[in-house]
Amino acid sequence: MYTQALDLPPGPEDKAQPVRLAPSADEASLQAQFDRRIDADGRIEPQDWMPEAYRKTLVRQISQHAHSEIVGMLPEGNWISRAPSLKRKAILIAKVQDEGGHGLYLYSAAETLGTSRDEMLAALHSGRAKYSSIFNYPTLNWADVGVIGWLVDGAAIMNQIPLCRCSYGPYARAMVRVCKEESFHQRQGYEALLAMMQGTDEQKAMVQDAVNRWWWKCLAMFGPPDADSPNSAQGMRWGIKRISNDNLRQKFVDATVPQAKVLGVTLPDPDLKWNEERQQHDYGAIDWDEFWATVNGEGPCNKERLATRVKAWNDGQWLRDAALAHARKQQQRTQKEAA
Ligand code: BYC
């Protein structure tokens, strides 16, 4: 079920497998069965009947998530050759490799819903598919790599832990492993920043500057406010989303404030303060115009990120061709031996 992109594509003899459709007479009872399972907090598996809108929502969210992982390799990958020590370089290589692995788990999970990896990647390469806004900003210096680990991965974990309880089995199971690795990523980023904060004044200033540039972008990562989030209500009803965009953002702020204190940096928000009544932090206004411009392709690095992915795809064509030719040969040999 968890197919790989290098599986042989269907030949002319293979009939296209239609997405599982329920006979319309049974549709109401299948829908009722599906609703009961969702209400009981049960899991939906690939072979189960599901409403087409549920399938579509999952393909949208999981493929966007997968794209975010592989585009997310680029801002940090940029620093592998310039890491300040062999130890930091080894850690960064492992982290970027993990992100590639997360992309593969997620594309595999999305494929179980009947959409091929080639289709998902074509949507990314043509600019039709979204990926996280956060990866359209540049990594200007080494402190940015630490801040991505601490804040970007920190925000990602906050968003992704509830996805381990997502109603769609393959997505939920993929997220368990992803979250374990993300938690290592977050800690390595924080540790790298702690080291810099014990260094020279210039290093400390680099960390503060990176925090200033990334903080607001990280808050926007959680998506638009609940009131402006068209997909939230249905996503929550289906048990895909468990916690709303605003509630996750709030949890992230509350968790990060004490970490910033230990680190010795100031979060760049004059309105950030503890609200005794709410037992949560108040924080300032997010620039949603900037967020939407970035989501819609006008961020500082959108064009560069997409061009890099398209080039990587084109440069890898020879390898995919060779792997497919090899797989075909193997298949012919197996068929010959079986005859
Ligand atoms: N960037 O109705 P809403 C990572 C879109 S990977 C871009 O709230 P939903 C990491 C949204 O897609 C981080 N677009 O949507 C990797 C929707 O557009 P469409 C990625 C965004 O789906 C490597 C529209 O805005 N994580 O962290 O209910 C290294 C309206 O939004 C963003 C995931 O993908 C955004 N930030 O909620 C380090 C997690 N936010 O599709 C770190 C899985 C919103 O209707 N995804 N949009 O055209 C989710 O949890 C949800 O899809 C979201 C959005 C919370 C992101």
Side-chain angles (χ1 to χ4, degrees):
M1 186 51 76
Y2 281 42
T3 59
Q4 293 294 317
L6 293 178
D7 282 356
L8 283 179
E13 70 286 2
D14 301 312
K15 279 214 191 92
Q17 291 296 311
V19 166
R20 202 182 158 77
L21 286 181
S24 55
D26 291 345
E27 190 125 329
S29 99
L30 290 167
Q31 176 75 51
Q33 204 178 333
F34 171 88
D35 290 342
R36 269 197 304 278
R37 193 166 315 161
I38 294 286
D39 290 344
D41 226 0
R43 284 271 163 87
I44 306 297
E45 295 298 337
Q47 67 278 11
D48 295 332
W49 183 88
M50 62 188 83
E52 276 313 297
Y54 176 81
R55 186 189 299 278
K56 261 181 132 170
T57 294
L58 281 168
V59 171
R60 176 185 68 80
Q61 179 166 327
I62 304 173
S63 63
Q64 284 177 7
H65 194 165
H67 299 327
S68 304
E69 297 285 354
I70 61 162
V71 176
M73 297 167 76
L74 303 176
E76 291 174 289
N78 190 29
W79 279 89
I80 290 174
S81 60
R82 290 175 287 162
S85 69
L86 186 57
K87 175 183 141 186
R88 298 286 174 201
K89 188 195 280 272
I91 294 171
L92 187 57
I93 290 172
K95 178 185 190 290
V96 172
Q97 188 172 298
D98 283 352
E99 311 296 0
H102 297 173
L104 297 188
Y105 311 153
L106 289 163
Y107 284 123
S108 297
E111 280 182 307
T112 65
L113 292 152
T115 302
S116 73
R117 193 175 304 189
D118 282 354
E119 287 173 87
M120 292 183 262
L121 287 171
L124 173 68
H125 296 158
S126 67
R128 274 179 293 128
K130 291 191 169 70
Y131 58 85
S132 183
S133 49
I134 196 76
F135 301 119
N136 291 308
Y137 298 98
T139 39
L140 301 183
N141 63 46
W142 177 253
D144 289 42
V145 174
V147 167
I148 288 181
W150 174 38
L151 295 180
V152 175
D153 288 87
I157 297 168
M158 198 55 92
N159 165 274
Q160 291 172 5
I161 295 266
L163 292 173
C164 299
R165 294 185 292 115
C166 162
S167 59
Y168 188 58
Y171 192 23
R173 289 190 286 276
M175 290 319 298
V176 172
R177 183 148 174 198
V178 169
C179 285
K180 284 187 185 154
E181 292 174 354
E182 292 292 9
S183 127
F184 153 74
H185 296 170
Q186 197 262 357
R187 274 178 279 169
Q188 69 80 31
Y190 194 65
E191 194 272 333
L193 295 177
L194 277 174
M196 286 184 83
M197 290 302 285
Q198 281 152 21
T200 61
D201 286 348
E202 201 184 349
Q203 285 174 308
K204 290 179 197 169
M206 275 167 72
V207 175
Q208 183 62 59
D209 170 60
V211 170
N212 293 349
R213 283 181 289 107
W214 288 92
W215 173 248
W216 290 104
K217 319 301 186 224
C218 289
L219 293 194
M221 258 178 90
F222 293 93
D226 295 349
D228 304 325
S229 161
N231 303 304
S232 273
Q234 189 59 71
M236 306 268 290
R237 164 73 190 93
W238 277 327
I240 297 172
K241 278 175 105 154
R242 298 287 181 171
I243 304 182
S244 80
N245 297 358
D246 283 333
N247 286 341
L248 283 172
R249 193 169 5 253
Q250 181 70 58
K251 279 162 80 76
F252 174 72
V253 171
D254 292 336
T256 307
V257 167
Q259 293 169 8
K261 208 177 229 171
V262 172
L263 196 55
V265 293
T266 307
L267 296 173
D269 178 0
D271 297 324
L272 184 66
K273 58 175 181 308
W274 179 250
N275 182 321
E276 197 56 43
E277 201 179 318
R278 291 197 308 121
Q279 291 289 298
Q280 287 173 330
H281 289 87
D282 292 334
Y283 56 90
I286 295 168
D287 184 346
W288 292 112
D289 290 341
E290 195 221 308
F291 168 79
W292 286 117
T294 304
V295 170
N296 292 322
E298 298 305 321
C301 301
N302 294 59
K303 290 178 185 67
E304 181 189 329
R305 299 286 184 245
L306 216 53
T308 308
R309 285 305 329 156
V310 170
K311 181 174 185 310
W313 176 256
N314 292 338
D315 289 352
Q317 187 61 49
W318 69 272
L319 182 62
R320 291 191 299 279
D321 289 345
L324 284 171
H326 178 69
R328 261 188 210 109
K329 239 183 187 168
Q330 299 271 74
Q331 192 185 50
Q332 280 163 5
R333 193 171 301 152
T334 316
Q335 281 166 352
K336 226 179 190 172
E337 282 167 9

